[in-house]
Amino acid sequence: MPADVRPKGKGSPAKFSWQTVLILRIAALLRDHFKLELQAHKASFARLRRELHRKSFISLWGQRLSLGAEGWTLAEDGSPLPQDDIFLVRLDPHLEVLRDGFALADPISGRSQLELFSLPNLHRPKHGSGTDEVAKARQRRSA
């Protein structure tokens, strides 16, 4: 699985999105627990990666992935299972690890929206941004 942002050179790190890390976790599960050969499913993992990039992290909670002859399918927990033979992967345990590791939103705790602005950064005094000049100008106008 290629990195989302390739390293710029020797010694620089590659960068991976939460979607790619989720796919890597699922691939490791299939390889380690089911002894599945992953190379044969390379195209299927690529399609899953594209599909996950169109989904929000929050929308995946309560979902499961099934791997059948046609590839990966997303479905809600509790929805009817296909009649064909499939591998079924519950996403919530993997999403919990990602939530904690990436500090992503947790829909269970009610914090289902990411913060737009960091409050400590909003209230931090700005150095060299001209705020002192603005305050002085206001004082001059009021005097």
Side-chain angles (χ1 to χ4, degrees):
M1 182 70 52
D4 292 292
V5 178
R6 297 198 181 272
K8 293 182 177 164
K10 286 186 178 182
S12 67
K15 295 182 181 178
F16 296 88
S17 67
W18 65 264
Q19 294 95 337
T20 302
V21 175
L22 177 61
I23 292 172
L24 290 171
R25 288 185 56 84
I26 292 167
L29 173 78
L30 294 175
R31 183 196 65 211
D32 297 343
H33 290 264
F34 298 104
K35 310 301 183 214
L36 193 68
E37 177 60 42
L38 298 177
Q39 189 64 31
H41 299 280
K42 187 176 180 178
S44 181
F45 278 115
R47 284 190 302 274
L48 176 61
R49 187 178 191 181
R50 286 190 300 272
E51 168 127 8
L52 287 176
H53 276 283
R54 290 190 294 260
K55 301 276 185 184
S56 75
F57 181 77
I58 296 167
S59 72
L60 292 176
W61 288 89
Q63 299 275 318
R64 60 184 178 206
L65 272 174
S66 61
L67 177 60
E70 292 82 38
W72 293 101
T73 306
L74 272 168
E76 293 202 21
D77 282 344
S79 64
L81 294 174
Q83 296 300 314
D84 300 334
D85 294 329
I86 59 169
F87 278 102
L88 192 63
V89 179
R90 290 181 328 108
L91 289 180
D92 285 1
H94 301 283
L95 296 174
E96 288 172 6
V97 171
L98 293 177
R99 175 199 62 204
D100 296 340
F102 281 88
L104 296 170
D106 181 7
I108 297 168
S109 71
R111 192 185 136 227
S112 61
Q113 184 174 348
L114 297 174
E115 294 176 4
L116 184 58
F117 300 106
S118 171
L119 288 177
N121 288 333
L122 286 177
H123 298 294
R124 182 181 307 158
K126 295 180 176 129
H127 299 289
S129 64
T131 54
D132 292 331
E133 290 81 16
V134 171
K136 288 177 185 175
R138 285 185 187 148
Q139 287 177 346
R140 279 187 237 130
R141 282 187 221 142
S142 64

